[in-house]
Amino acid sequence: MNESRKYIIRIAIVLIGLIFLIKLFFIQVMNESYRLAAENNIVQKIIEYPYRGLIHDRNNNLIAYNEPIYDLMLVPKELQNIDTLLFCQTFEISKEEFIAKYKKSRKYSYIKPSIFIEQISNKTFALVQDKMVQFSGFYTQARTVRGYNTKGLANILGYTGEVSNRFLRRDTTKYYQSGDFIGITGLEKSYEESLRGRRGVKFKMVNVRGIEKGAFKDGKLDTLSIPGDNLKLSIDAELQKYAEELMEGKIGSVVAIEPSTGEILTFISSPSYDPEMLSGKNFGKNFTTLSKDSLKPLFNRPLMAMYPPGSIFKIIQGLIALEEGVIGPYDQLFCDGSLIGDHAPPGNYNMRKAIMLSSNNYFYKVFRRIINQNTENSQFKEAPIGLERWKKNVLKFGLGRPLGIDLPNERAGLVPGPEDYNRTYGRGRWKFSNITSLSIGQGELLMNPIQMANLAAIMANRGHYFIPHIVKGVGSTSYLDSRFVEKVETGISPEHFPVIIDGMEDAVVGNTARAIIPGIAVCGKTGTAQNPHGEDHSVFMAFAPKENPKIAISVFVENAGWGGRAAASISSLLMEKYITGEVMRSWIESYVKKGEFIY
Amino acid sequence: MNRDSILNRLDWVTILLYATLVVMGWINIYAAVYDEEITKSLINTSSNAGKQLLWIGTAIVLIVGVMTLDYKFYDNFAYLIFGVMILLLVAVLGTGTIVAGSKSWFQIGGFRLQPSEFTKFAAVLALARYLSPGNIKIDMPRTQLIAAAIIGIPVLLVMLQGDLGSAMVFGSLFIVLFREGISPNYFILVLGVVAVFVLSLLVSQTVIFIGTGVIAILVIGLSTRNYKRILVTLAAVVAIVGMVKSLDFIMSNVLKPHQKNRVISLINPEADPLGTGWNVTQSKIAIGSGGMFGKGFLQGTQTKFDFVPEQSTDFIFCTLGEEHGWIGSIIVIALFSTLLIRVSIIAERQKSRFARVYGYGVLSILLFHYTVNIAMTIGLFPVIGIPLPFFSYGGSSLWSFTILLFILLKLDAHRMQVMTR
């Protein structure tokens, strides 16, 4: 009776076994996600932030380093019975902040750690370190921010900060992750890829309570963090510091270049700020203060400020005229101040004397010859052709376009061409008389200080330059981008330089006594850029020594009046300091330091 | 050796299967509680692995005891043993210790005993005793009622303890009644009820009602002039509608919150993976992460780092799945299937009805435990706290399964004597 039922039961047993095996086959063999889920459970990824590359000056003085800071991490699950009041006092936060932070942490994950307080300074950490045991669930994670050995250089160095979510969304390299630091401006930005190094990752095993149970897969997947490459700057920290002292209390910029290489020795934007202000925890607060400052310390003047070059532009006019053959080096022109206002006395001028005394009328005439070369029968037709040719020549001096320095945010300046005047006056409706102010570096013409310093370097090199740059070497190699070692020619024959350079030397000796350095032949040119808003800007560009020049410099002091005063004094002091190693003329030094030029 | 020695008449295949499962179970318990940092000696009774060794040793003593008693003892004293166990179940309700929400334990010194475990073999004995006389006809309502009572009383008492899982185990004894010839309609009925229950959790009531209506119309339409079938169909429709409607009531008023959550998390474990779905999710991760060959002995992370709860008792299968993979699972499932079929073969070859019914009782209990335990660890069944026989850690359960199985072997060894008598 019911014998068949025993088979039903046995078949059921076999069927159950088969169902189990099929189901198990699907979750064990066919489905990888469980393996991943198991790893996710136990593996805690700990990021080792790399050391950012150090920054040294040209003499291997350390400028920027890494300072340890600590992030306070919280694992909400392990938080129990802590003295909240003591905690709030220790970390100087309010109870409300504590609750808000806790809720945020709790929302992120109950068992995974998240940042509770960011960027606790080394100092604060030392004070709270021994209290940490009382706060179960909290631990600190070390990382670094920038520390500096200098109070200057901020405009070169730039600053770093945590990558923004907006950046992360647009980042195509896929390198960055939330929490990473990235260079935001300055060298930190332009050399970010060398400086950042590579993140390391450690995988640790934790149990369900988040307690560490050793390395995952014996550390086979761990990677060490690789420190970033160090940068060696061409900046001379000592000269830089001296320049900062001289520029204190003044608005303006100083750029000094080694003409034979294009290396930037000094780079000042004044006023500046202490780079420490934008490093680490107080970034937000200080950034707001700095960006609201009416003197614009965040504005990188050598690259971003654009001024009419004034009289220093006469050098370019002279060289172009000689190259075009519209005047001979010793041709005399009678100038009496009838064409344009002039500081130079009436009389006969040749090129050397015109440079020395900065004759406006001489260069007015020269510029007219450049523009009107009698190729057309109408001045209206001639002017655009002449101006176009002139512009082409001017651009070769590195004007009207960014030079390509290794810092971000370099601006182009402006060299006007026919199209600009066509726009203003209409095609064929303007001639030389509409553009006369260009002859003496005024009008629409704009240069930034780095271009002025580069012009000094061109003069020092008698016709060529190297793109100015601020980094001499990256990492252990003295790597340089090829664009920084290629000679850039201006197209002016070397034979046209001596007469102008002689004029520059005469200008210093005869006309700018403060710029004279005993025993060293200085060639310079003052400029006074007209400022419709107040006192004129003081400009001076120079190089020294005359033979075998070591340094080319441009100094721009806003609202300081005639260029022979503030700007020339500062230039000569810096050149003296750089060439001889010390400053003998203390009276000039005190004159510069006492001068108040901010109105 | 004497040809009549009991050792010659024992079913060694079953004993070998039993021993293999116990040893494999112990290895997995050792792995589940293994902690690199705390290396205790194997017989240290403060760890579950050490204690289990103790339980295995005492289980061997119990086996000797079971074998030494006269085989007629079990027949003769079946009701008495059952009665004592029922009394213990009542007593534990009064004086028991609550563990994991169930008041089903006696605390004796450092050890705990769970009388409901021992009630299992007692109930099987009682059922076998009741059904053994030749004049008992299984299709008589009176027989069915008394048999149901023998099963129902412990179910009721264990449910009162709050241990729904163990209570359900007794329900498995209906397999015995099935083998003894009870109408299969009962099973169809039970399966129907379960199907409706599960369906109504999965799909909306409206869908079920429409589906039921369509099927009913089809059946009625096909059974022309078969009034009986039409009546049955209509009754079924009414019953289904009633059940679905009362399901909300059952879910919110009859089931305890944790039981309700277990049911919900079976249907949708992703609903709350950190809360009620935690056990099933972590258990599946443990087993699933084992892959084809497993992570290796003592290499399981899910179990070792406490992600899987109860990893040495109810969820011991996770350790196996994680460390020995699909291959390990095949071996254990094959061992259980072989053991169960072997038990059914032993039951079938019994000459006395008592021994056969008892054999099927053993089969029912083992089958239910094995099926439900593994099904819950791989997410095929709600989490019900019952152990995997011979495998899971626990003295009460190992003892009770050992006694259960070896009484059958004792009866089997004497099956020829029944014949000659």
Side-chain angles (χ1 to χ4, degrees), chain A residues 316-328:
Chain A
I316 295 179
Q317 296 289 44
L319 285 171
I320 292 173
L322 292 174
E323 183 69 28
E324 299 258 294
V326 295
I327 192 166

Side-chain angles (χ1 to χ4, degrees), chain A residues 2 5-6 10 41 208-209, chain B residues 178 182 282 302 306 344:
Chain A
N2 299 316
R5 288 193 179 179
K6 75 179 181 194
R10 286 174 198 173
N41 266 343
V208 72
R209 285 170 291 279
Chain B
F178 171 72
I182 202 167
Q282 295 302 328
Q302 276 294 100
D306 301 340
S344 111

